[in-house]
Each structure stands twice: as structure tokens, then as C-alpha cells.
Amino acid sequence: MSIKPTIFCIIFALIITITGGCNAPTAEDEIDRSPTEAHRHRLEQRVARRYSDSEAHYELGRLYQQDGLWEKARQHFLTTVRFDPIHRGAQAGIVKTLIQAGDEDRARTYAEVYLDQAAGSAAASLRLAVAFQGQQLDDYALKCYEQAKSLAPNSAVVHRQLGYFYLGRDDRDKARQHLTRSFELNPSQPTVAEQLGRLGVTVRTPRQGEDDIDSE
């Protein structure tokens, strides 16, 4: 007696379900993952779906950097820059992971390239400075801040960021100098006024100045 085609279909479907389910992630797998592992898994899925997802590569780089896997982190940062050539966070990450891997010379070379790349724009220099500062690369951050200041000497934003930078380094005199200048250029900064008060500066409303920097 012959088996009807519908029975063949049912058997075939069952085989596919059973064999496919062997490799599929279970609910238990998801529960067993730590929040960081789950986040990494989601990012890897994003990259698998669209390899040009620069932000997913950047976040993966940050996760690998936190785990001390400098080479893996740097590869994801490099891929980020490949698809987003002005991703300042990834650029700073490349420099930092080279330093963490003990390759100071290459780190310096990359940093100089990125500084030159940002040299035509105060906004670009400022963003790179913030990115370097986020990676605790204060010497490179300061070079970028000074570059931004030379391009936009009357920018309240640049002077404000320089002031906060020096506060972080516990250099109260330079912090006071730049925050005062920032407030002179733009008095509509309550947080700067508050910080100046903590630094012992009496705040007065000065002549309105120029506060425009070019956009990246």
C-alpha cells in the first residue's frame, strides 16, 4: 500500500523541525547570558545582518576593549572607521587599544593622522578632543582642544570644554581662565556661572561675544 503525499509532507516537516531545533537558541540560553553577553550577541546579529553597521562595530569594539581583548576591539574600531571615516570615538579607540597593546609608535602615528584630518574644523577638533578624553588620552585631547581654540578663538563652547578639561585635571587656575572667557562670550550658561561661583569668580553680565564654530 502506498503512503499518501500528505503523510510524506508531515514526516518531512517533523524532521526539519527536530534537526533545526537542535542548533536554535533556547529560552534557557537567553536567560543564562549575562547582560553584557546578551548585548554582544545582539550586536553580532546586527553585524551579521548588515556588515556596514558602523555603530554596531563600534559598540562591539568597546565591549572587547572592556574585556581586555585589544586586537579584537581594534579590528571593530577599524571597521567602524572604514564605514564612517569621521567616527571620532572609534578613532580614539584605535589609538587607545594600540597603547594598551604596547604599540606606542603606531598609536602616535594614528593620533597625528586623526589630528590632521580634523585640523580644518573647530567642531571636528572638539569632537575628537572629547573622544580622546573619554579614552583617558589627555595629552592628545589637549592637542585637539588647543587646535579647536586656534580655529575658533571666540567660541564659548571651546573655552567651556577646555575649562571642564582643566577642572578634571585639578588645574583650577586654567579652568577659571577658560570658563570665565566662555561666560564672557556667552552669558546664557547657568552651569558655567555656577561652576565659576565655586571657583570664587563673581559673575557679571559682559558684552555678548561670538559663539559660532563650523559644523563637521
Side-chain angles (χ1 to χ4, degrees), residues 169-181:
R169 301 187 75 170
D170 202 28
D171 189 334
R172 292 170 63 88
D173 289 340
K174 287 185 178 178
R176 186 183 299 110
Q177 172 190 335
H178 286 289
L179 290 175
T180 299
R181 181 58 179 152

Side-chain angles (χ1 to χ4, degrees), residues 102-120:
D103 198 341
E104 297 273 353
D105 290 339
R106 282 183 68 203
R108 190 179 305 108
T109 299
Y110 272 95
E112 288 172 357
V113 168
Y114 298 140
L115 271 159
D116 288 344
Q117 185 190 68

Side-chain angles (χ1 to χ4, degrees), residues 65 68 70 73 93 95-104 135:
Q65 187 181 15
W70 319 131
V95 175
K96 179 67 175 208
T97 51
L98 283 168
I99 291 172
Q100 289 169 318
D103 198 341
E104 297 273 353
Q135 288 283 358

